[in-house]
Structure formats: structure tokens, C-alpha cells
Amino acid sequence: MINIIQIKVRGYHLDIFQHVNNARYLEFLEEGRWAFFDEFGAGTELMEQGLAWAVVNINIDFRAEGNFADVLEVHTQFSKLGNRSVTMKQRIMNAKTDTLVAEADVTYVCFSKEKKAAVPLPDDYKMKIQKALEESD
């Protein structure tokens, strides 16, 4: 499963050099993950169980600049499944030029609000994530 959203670069996304500020890419990536989880269906149900996805690691490689009025596509998919964690691969592409702007690996843990600690993923989510991984191979 892969989810793709589009974001148009606005003036407030730019830095002094007139290209997208590096911190804005974190917001673009997060928007992509929220859209992915909306489609995947892993938000409200987990919260009702007292669980949440907590980001524990983000690695971003910047490849090209994003500029004012560019339309950027954020591609999001699962890439790795652990007992308590899941890693997502994200790519930001310039929709007009098909240029890779940035790519990131984001690791989440399943976090129990009650225990204030990472806990194993519920079995139904592990199976659902595994299926999504197999579909994207």
C-alpha cells in the first residue's frame, strides 16, 4: 500500500534562500503519514485502546530544492515491521519534473499511554501491516 498526497509550496514554506526550509519538510512528511494512516485505518481504534504511534527516529536525505509554487508529492508506505515498531519509507517528488526532492525513513513504536512505554503491536495491526508490506513488494 502506498499513499500519495500533493502539497503546493507557498511563500511561508520558504527560507531566506527562497527555497523550502528544511524544517518544513518534516511537516510535509507528517502530513503524508497522517493521510496514510487515515487510508490505512490506524488512528482512532488505537487511541480507544490507549495506544498511539510515537515517532522515535527520522532520517531525511535532501536531494533537490523545492521552490515557490512547486507541487510536491509525498509518497508514503510501510517498509519494515518489528514487534513494537514499524518503519515507513517516504519520498517527496516534484510532480512537474519527477525529481526526487527528499526521502526519509521514519520509525514509530506502539506506545501505551497507561504504561508510558513501548508495547508490542496488537496482532490485528501486525497482520494488517504485514499484508500492506507484501502488497508493496
Side-chain angles (χ1 to χ4, degrees), residues 8 61 76 101 110:
K8 185 170 183 176
D61 291 316
T76 304
V101 175
C110 183

Side-chain angles (χ1 to χ4, degrees), residues 107-120:
T107 303
Y108 284 91
V109 295
C110 183
F111 188 81
S112 165
K113 292 188 250 180
E114 179 185 331
K115 295 179 181 180
K116 298 193 185 313
V119 296

Side-chain angles (χ1 to χ4, degrees), residues 20 29 36 42 50 52 57 62 79 87 89-90 102 108 117 121 123 134:
V20 176
L29 293 166
F36 179 95
N57 186 276
F62 299 101
S79 61
T87 301
K89 180 71 167 178
Q90 293 188 277
Y108 284 91
L121 289 160
D123 288 337
E134 290 167 3

